[in-house]
Amino acid sequence: MTTTAQTKPAPPADEDATASARELLPIASPARTWAALRTLVRPDRGPAALALGVLVAATAVGLLVQPLLGRVVDIVADGRPAGELTLPVALLALVAVVQGVATTVGLGRTARLGERVLARLRERFVEHALGLPADRLERAGAGDLTARVTGDVARVAEAVRSALPELARSTLAIVLTLGALALLDLRFLLAALLAVPVQALTARWYVRRAGPLYAEQRVANGAQQQQLLETVGGAVTVRGHRLEREHTARSEARSRDAVALTMRGVRLVLGFYARLHVAEYLGLAAVLFTGYWLVRDDAVSVGTATAAALYFHSLFGPVNQALVLLDDAQSAAAGLARLVGVTTLEDDAPDPADAPPLPRQRTGPAKAAAPSAVVVDAVGHAYGTGRPVLHEVSLTLARGEHVALVGTSGAGKSTLARIVAGVQRPTTGAVRIAAGEAELPVALVTQEVHVFSGTLAEDLRLARPHATDAELRDALAAVDALDWAEALPEGLATVVGEGGHPLDPARAQQLALARLVLADPAVAVLDEATAEAGSSGARVLERAAGAALAGRTALVVAHRLTQAVAADRIVVLEGGRVVESGTHEELRDARGPYAALWRAWSGSRAAPGPEHHP
């Protein structure tokens, strides 16, 4: 399916159904998070192994510094000629050069690997976010998704670019340095390991507290952002009802919660550092005492004891770096779990392809012979427990048929349209958009049209990326928009959208209909796509909509009954149920709900004053 217009994640205009409380998007379990991470890294296993090998070589070469310095100490302590210092000093310079080059290459390869994984994560997140059911996003609120796509992605990106390469480098340095201590004398290694229990307990103490804290912090930040979005987005309403004090208090409360969690994190990190210092000095004292004892017994030379002390002192940086990076790792892991959590909604959803074939609803001999393009089978939907808006709706659209949905506000028209378009899943029942075994592409155009930032031509090419300028003009001409488009300051090269040339609602709607023409779907769903225009612009948009729907199967939520009159068939919804179905003439003469709507609408057109729209 394809869509040619972006709809806002807000309840339909004809539904008075919103969740009573925010239901935040899920957070993935640790097992699922690591499984997703392995999937992201799997395509780059070869480059990852190469980068790791280069880092191992760089670290191993760097470990030659301590024994070379020990050799210098022995030469000086034994009073040997100064010429003997030439070789170890030259080797120290060579080690510095080789280690620097190898480290640069290894970290560069690791960074490139990280960027590829990060790009893969972003693509997967956006792909799943765009496929989420609209009502699920409504329950979560825009703030939760916005916090994930900004703050969480930023934290993961920071970890991939800096923390993870440094963590890998530090871990290698720790392992290889401990091995070098063992080669000098196993007793040096045993002395150094006295610091490990303190470090392990420190890491365990920190990890057990940091994970839940950072997850709670991200949730609080999401709630804070949601409150700010609601307050700023509804500023006119807030001022109109004199609710400034209440909304300010809510924003302050959300901010206090976020700040309190941040300060808890600061205190946690300070305690973490204090415990690490205890481990450092305990281990260093043990290595120095061991060196003194071994030199006294002539078990090792002064240079060897010096190398051992330097080895342990060189561990301060890598060990502290590795443990400190747990802070970034925990924060990134919490962000990654929130990003992967968005993908679980799509992964856990049943595959429509697995659904059994649906029975075709017969609407009469003339329609039964035509192949079905859309089959709606016993669809029900609710925006919360005990708040159903659709009840067992069944409907069949033949190929090329135009069906208008009519009903009073709250009847369920927009909900049914969005379910048929595939942007919202039904609570019960199923929808099949197909011709035989092949799926048909579907496009949705609503009254809430988004004009993307960029040139007018770029906006149109969202529907068909490789469309020629001639095809763009043909699409605009089809919806009566070519004249005003070419009259823009730079024609199709004029920048529109945020910060660009403004388009009024009628022109924005024509732009959406032109995208529909370019996308060329077999099935089109129009949800009150002419509602934003006034009476004068309505006729232009209705003609444009009619041209855009030519040759397609169409489901139209009729804002004006003139759209219903032009349809092949009219379906009347009342209280979330289909109560009538037929042509305009049949339903007008049946003296049912549609006839009442028609009389009310016709009377309002004849009477002076504002136009009434059912």
Side-chain angles (χ1 to χ4, degrees):
M1 296 183 184
T2 61
T3 58
T4 61
Q6 175 177 309
T7 57
K8 299 176 184 177
D14 65 350
E15 321 295 351
D16 183 17
T18 56
S20 58
R22 292 295 177 195
E23 182 184 336
L24 297 181
L25 297 169
I27 298 175
S29 65
R32 192 151 195 170
T33 301
W34 287 115
L37 185 59
R38 287 194 298 272
T39 301
L40 292 170
V41 175
R42 189 175 296 121
D44 291 306
R45 285 176 295 183
L50 179 60
L52 180 62
V54 174
L55 286 177
V56 169
T59 305
V61 170
L63 292 177
L64 295 174
V65 171
Q66 287 82 0
L68 287 173
L69 290 174
R71 178 64 176 168
V72 170
V73 170
D74 282 338
I75 291 173
V76 174
D78 294 343
R80 299 176 189 176
E84 293 190 22
L85 293 173
T86 302
L87 180 60
V89 170
L91 290 176
L92 281 171
L94 180 61
V95 165
V97 172
V98 173
Q99 184 188 26
V101 172
T103 300
T104 300
V105 173
L107 290 178
R109 288 184 174 274
T110 304
R112 285 194 294 272
L113 170 65
E115 288 299 327
R116 287 197 295 270
V117 173
L118 182 60
R120 216 170 282 134
L121 172 64
R122 284 197 182 106
E123 290 168 3
R124 184 176 179 184
F125 175 80
V126 171
E127 178 184 356
H128 283 78
L130 290 175
L132 290 179
D135 56 333
R136 185 64 184 87
L137 289 178
E138 290 162 12
R139 295 198 302 272
D144 188 28
L145 187 61
T146 302
R148 297 186 192 219
V149 80
T150 53
D152 291 320
V153 168
R155 286 180 181 271
V156 174
E158 183 181 358
V160 167
R161 290 168 180 158
S162 58
L164 294 183
E166 287 299 323
L167 182 60
R169 183 183 175 192
S170 299
T171 302
L172 287 173
I174 293 168
V175 172
L176 294 179
T177 301
L178 291 177
L181 276 173
L183 289 175
L184 291 178
D185 192 293
L186 187 60
R187 286 165 287 191
F188 285 125
L189 175 61
L190 295 176
L193 292 179
L194 289 177
V196 172
V198 179
Q199 291 168 332
L201 289 174
T202 297
R204 183 169 179 267
W205 172 84
Y206 177 76
V207 168
R208 291 178 64 181
R209 289 162 175 78
L213 175 60
Y214 283 119
E216 189 178 353
Q217 191 176 40
R218 297 306 303 148
V219 170
N221 288 340
Q224 179 190 29
Q225 194 160 3
Q226 175 65 33
Q227 182 60 52
L228 291 174
L229 285 172
E230 290 181 348
T231 299
V232 174
V236 174
T237 303
V238 169
R239 289 195 300 269
H241 291 276
R242 301 293 188 268
L243 297 175
E244 294 93 334
R245 188 184 300 276
E246 291 81 351
H247 275 259
T248 299
R250 292 177 190 173
S251 298
E252 289 177 351
R254 297 292 192 189
S255 298
R256 281 195 300 270
D257 291 343
V259 170
L261 289 170
T262 300
M263 294 309 301
R264 279 177 55 190
V266 170
R267 289 192 292 270
L268 182 65
V269 171
L270 291 176
F272 178 64
Y273 280 125
R275 287 166 171 79
L276 284 185
H277 292 324
V278 172
E280 288 174 357
Y281 295 117
L282 175 64
L284 182 59
V287 170
L288 289 174
F289 177 79
T290 302
Y292 167 77
W293 174 47
L294 292 176
V295 170
R296 186 193 65 179
D297 293 345
D298 292 327
V300 298
S301 68
V302 174
T304 302
T306 301
L310 290 174
Y311 269 136
F312 187 81
H313 189 271
S314 71
L315 283 175
F316 282 16
V319 169
N320 287 351
Q321 184 79 350
L323 293 178
V324 167
L325 286 175
L326 287 174
D327 180 70
D328 293 334
Q330 287 294 312
S331 180
L336 182 61
R338 283 164 54 81
L339 294 175
V340 174
V342 173
T343 70
T344 63
L345 283 174
E346 190 78 358
D347 292 340
D348 293 339
D351 188 348
D354 296 333
L358 300 177
R360 181 182 299 173
Q361 176 179 318
R362 299 181 64 88
T363 58
K367 296 298 181 185
S372 298
V374 178
V375 178
V376 179
D377 184 63
V379 162
H381 191 74
Y383 285 99
T385 304
R387 305 185 70 179
V389 293
L390 292 177
H391 307 269
E392 299 289 324
V393 174
S394 293
L395 179 65
T396 300
L397 276 70
R399 292 289 300 273
E401 184 182 22
H402 289 189
V403 173
L405 285 180
V406 172
T408 57
S409 178
K413 304 186 299 297
S414 287
T415 297
L416 180 58
R418 296 201 299 179
I419 288 174
V420 170
V423 300
Q424 190 161 302
R425 293 193 184 95
T427 306
T428 59
V431 175
R432 177 69 49 80
I433 309 290
E437 297 297 323
E439 285 196 2
L440 297 176
V442 180
L444 169 69
V445 179
T446 76
Q447 60 180 312
E448 297 163 336
V449 176
H450 184 77
V451 179
F452 295 88
S453 297
T455 67
L456 184 64
E458 290 171 344
D459 197 301
L460 288 167
R461 286 194 175 100
L462 291 171
R464 190 190 297 176
H466 303 294
T468 65
D469 287 347
E471 289 172 329
L472 299 185
R473 288 185 170 85
D474 288 343
L476 289 168
V479 297
D480 292 331
L482 183 59
D483 289 342
W484 65 256
E486 291 186 330
L488 292 174
E490 297 180 53
L492 271 64
T494 303
V495 175
V496 294
E498 186 174 356
H501 187 89
L503 298 181
D504 61 40
R507 289 184 174 182
Q509 197 63 256
Q510 283 178 292
L511 178 60
L513 292 171
R515 288 200 296 252
L516 174 66
V517 173
L518 286 166
D520 196 22
V523 179
V525 178
L526 268 58
D527 183 6
E528 298 191 345
T530 64
E532 289 296 317
S535 299
S536 59
R539 288 186 292 274
V540 174
L541 283 185
E542 286 177 9
R543 286 197 304 269
L549 296 179
R552 314 181 200 284
T553 304
L555 181 66
V556 179
V557 176
H559 180 67
R560 292 173 172 84
L561 289 190
T562 50
Q563 296 171 288
V565 173
D568 299 320
R569 181 160 51 102
I570 300 169
V571 172
V572 183
L573 290 182
E574 191 172 279
R577 293 180 171 83
V578 175
V579 294
E580 283 188 307
S581 178
T583 65
H584 166 70
E585 291 78 11
E586 291 171 347
L587 298 183
R588 184 193 57 194
D589 297 337
R591 300 187 180 277
Y594 178 80
L597 288 173
W598 177 257
R599 286 194 300 271
W601 186 76
S602 300
S604 68
R605 295 180 69 197
E611 189 174 17
H612 171 73
H613 309 300

